Amino acid sequence: MAKDINELVKHLQEMNSGSLNNLLSQQQKTKSQRKLQEDFKKNQESMNESLKNQFNLSDYSDLNSLLEKLK
């Protein structure tokens, strides 16, 4: 009987260890995905700033002249 209990305990410990490893792996994937999302968002913001600086639309004179030509 004691041998059966020891085998059962050993089996349960192995199962718990496998579950813990799976959880740790999922946690690492989640952290990696979160980091990728944050990096992507930072890159988007940086690109948006770059585009704003490259195409400064605060000066509408070029757009106005283009509109005048199109009329």
Side-chain angles (χ1 to χ4, degrees):
M1 176 94 173
K3 183 179 179 183
D4 290 339
I5 292 174
N6 284 339
E7 286 297 317
L8 179 60
V9 167
K10 186 177 177 182
H11 181 66
L12 289 173
Q13 286 174 334
E14 289 171 358
M15 287 174 54
N16 282 340
S17 176
S19 295
L20 180 60
N21 287 339
N22 284 340
L23 286 173
L24 291 173
S25 175
Q26 288 176 351
Q27 183 182 36
Q28 191 64 35
K29 286 179 187 175
T30 301
K31 284 181 182 178
S32 296
Q33 287 173 337
R34 191 173 295 128
K35 172 106 173 75
L36 284 173
Q37 287 174 334
E38 289 170 1
D39 289 347
F40 181 77
K41 185 176 180 181
K42 285 179 186 176
N43 284 339
Q44 272 187 320
E45 290 170 355
S46 175
M47 286 174 56
N48 284 343
E49 273 305 307
S50 176
L51 285 173
K52 282 180 188 176
N53 292 335
Q54 193 172 5
F55 300 105
N56 183 5
L57 296 179
S58 62
D59 178 17
Y60 294 109
S61 60
D62 289 343
L63 289 177
N64 283 334
S65 65
L66 179 61
L67 281 173
E68 289 301 319
K69 288 179 183 175
L70 291 174
K71 288 179 182 179

